[in-house]
Amino acid sequence: MVRPYLYCMFGKTNTTTGSSKSNSPSTLTIENLCKSFDGTNVVNNVSFEIPDGHIFTLLGPSGGGKTTTLRMIAGFEKPDSGTISIGGKIASNESIFLSPENRKVGMVFQDYALFPHLNVYKNVSFGVQSNTQNFSGIDSILETIGIASLKHRMPHQLSGGQQQRVALARALAPNPSIIALDEPFSNLDTELRQHVRNEIRQILKNANVTTIFVTHDQDEAFAMSDTVGIMLENNLVQTGTPHEIYTAPESIEVARFLGDINVLEGTANSSIGECELGKVLLSETFGDHQKVNIVIRPESIRLNNDSNESVMARIISVEFRGTYKTVELALPSGQLLTSIMGIHIDATVGAEVPVSVNSTVSAFPI
């Protein structure tokens, strides 16, 4: 028996090549999407748009509404309100709700959901119309994804990475407008995860298919995405390129979610901030004498710097991490800082060292 939620991929669709697409636009537009369960909001007024051929990632902690948003796009959940448009056509609003099989969304599930009794070829071709012309594209897809030699194997004979590629091939086979990936790398070990995600990104880019990807892993989101949307507490709080999101967070909550930060109170005058570390260049402009929290990433703190803006700090601890080390520092006030640096930079516990900031930093009004 086919799982009901697999039908989003298995409507009456045709395929002729591994990289061909429908002539209709495949941009995904979400407007004011809301969803609640038992009176609890799980998606709150979410809006975004994915340009044709782009990879968009919803990044956030577990329970933040990412997967529910994905399920509403695929048609597995009905929104309470809002509009979903796929390929320029409304898939869901207050009067329209297309079933999953009519949305042309190819889904790659966290557990891959391969049919255990079908070989690779039959898994991939399951949702393709049964005629010679349509099936001719399956071999092309298998070749493109690099699993042509595995076409006669059963799922239990495949590695995790191979199963991942079969699931993607099956999602691409019906020539969807959108590919949706729900935490697709969570079952892979660390080394394989990095290798597979690079492969998957290249496959999706070569296919020029619009993609929405859900993850709680920052490294995956940054490596895979053209655009990242940060979801915190069921709200989409910021969108931008991975570089924009990381270097110019729009709130201290986003900055903290994306990694370790050092927070120092200070004042801002235009684009110059001043704190216990001296003067720093800010990513935004403020009014005169604005009280702010200045947010500095550990990699932006430099030791043994001859800059006039450096201050003295004492090294509290050093942790070796293989390709880098983290150093905890104490400023004269007792404020603790964390710095990340190369393993060849000298750092001895108890030493007094000059410390400065070597990049533009963010600040938020107090």
Side-chain angles (χ1 to χ4, degrees):
M1 180 178 177
V2 179
R3 300 188 202 184
Y5 56 68
L6 289 176
Y7 281 118
C8 69
M9 299 183 288
F10 302 146
K12 293 182 179 180
T13 52
N14 299 335
T15 184
T16 54
T17 68
S19 59
S20 64
K21 293 183 64 182
S22 168
N23 291 327
S24 63
S26 58
T27 299
L28 173 66
T29 303
I30 306 297
E31 298 176 281
N32 307 120
L33 202 62
C34 295
K35 181 67 179 178
S36 62
F37 293 108
D38 298 324
T40 301
N41 287 336
V42 292
V43 177
N44 187 26
N45 208 37
V46 166
S47 299
F48 60 87
E49 183 171 328
I50 309 178
D52 185 42
H54 277 227
I55 299 175
F56 181 96
T57 295
L58 287 174
L59 172 65
S62 298
K66 308 181 303 299
T67 294
T68 300
T69 300
L70 195 71
R71 290 176 60 81
M72 287 190 285
I73 291 167
F76 304 149
E77 298 285 353
K78 188 173 183 178
D80 295 337
S81 60
T83 301
I84 300 170
S85 299
I86 299 173
K89 297 180 180 180
I90 293 177
S92 178
N93 64 13
E94 54 189 31
S95 60
I96 297 171
F97 184 77
L98 295 183
S99 59
E101 66 268 24
N102 291 318
R103 296 195 181 202
K104 296 200 72 178
V105 176
M107 193 81 175
V108 179
F109 298 94
Q110 186 171 342
D111 64 355
Y112 313 139
L114 299 181
F115 299 112
H117 62 293
L118 299 180
N119 65 21
V120 167
Y121 184 90
K122 290 180 179 179
N123 259 284
V124 174
S125 61
F126 185 88
V128 179
Q129 276 190 328
S130 301
N131 65 56
T132 302
Q133 181 181 0
N134 294 331
F135 274 107
S136 66
I138 300 299
D139 285 321
S140 176
I141 291 173
L142 296 177
E143 193 70 40
T144 298
I145 295 182
I147 54 174
S149 63
L150 307 176
K151 63 190 294 184
H152 298 301
R153 290 193 189 181
M154 303 300 287
H156 71 271
Q157 297 174 312
L158 304 175
S159 69
Q162 290 168 339
Q163 291 183 35
Q164 173 71 263
R165 287 187 281 272
V166 173
L168 180 61
R170 185 177 62 183
L172 285 169
N175 195 26
S177 295
I178 306 289
I179 288 287
L181 301 100
D182 185 12
E183 300 274 8
F185 309 121
S186 60
N187 292 328
L188 305 179
D189 61 52
T190 302
E191 184 176 352
L192 182 58
R193 185 184 302 134
Q194 182 174 349
H195 176 71
V196 171
R197 77 187 182 204
N198 293 339
E199 283 190 343
I200 298 300
R201 174 178 167 80
Q202 193 58 52
I203 290 168
L204 293 170
K205 280 300 182 181
N206 289 343
N208 194 35
V209 61
T210 303
T211 302
I212 181 167
F213 170 56
V214 160
T215 184
H216 64 274
D217 188 297
Q218 173 190 325
D219 290 341
E220 286 182 4
F222 286 1
M224 286 283 293
S225 311
D226 299 306
T227 305
V228 175
I230 303 294
M231 287 196 74
L232 298 177
E233 297 182 350
N234 314 113
N235 293 277
L236 184 65
V237 295
Q238 185 175 353
T239 60
T241 66
H243 184 268
E244 290 167 345
I245 292 286
Y246 188 75
T247 60
E250 293 180 0
S251 70
I252 199 166
E253 290 78 18
V254 171
R256 186 171 284 114
F257 171 71
L258 292 176
D260 292 336
I261 56 175
N262 299 290
V263 181
L264 292 87
E265 289 190 11
T267 57
N269 291 282
S270 186
S271 60
I272 301 298
E274 191 163 0
C275 61
E276 193 174 356
L277 283 173
K279 292 182 178 180
V280 293
L281 183 63
L282 304 178
S283 58
E284 294 189 16
T285 301
F286 294 83
D288 291 340
H289 307 296
Q290 170 73 58
K291 289 186 177 181
V292 292
N293 279 322
I294 296 174
V295 173
I296 306 171
R297 296 283 182 192
E299 64 269 24
S300 295
I301 294 179
R302 179 180 296 176
L303 270 63
N304 302 319
N305 191 295
D306 295 328
S307 168
N308 292 330
E309 295 299 334
S310 63
V311 299
M312 299 304 292
R314 182 165 56 89
I315 296 177
I316 302 298
S317 66
V318 179
E319 291 185 8
F320 181 72
R321 300 293 183 89
T323 57
Y324 66 95
K325 58 187 174 185
T326 60
V327 178
E328 187 176 28
L329 304 153
L331 294 174
S333 67
Q335 167 92 44
L336 297 179
L337 303 175
T338 300
S339 175
I340 294 176
M341 64 195 64
I343 61 175
H344 301 297
I345 297 176
D346 184 38
T348 304
V349 173
E352 298 282 338
V353 293
V355 177
S356 64
V357 178
N358 66 359
S359 69
T360 301
V361 299
S362 299
F364 303 98
I366 296 176

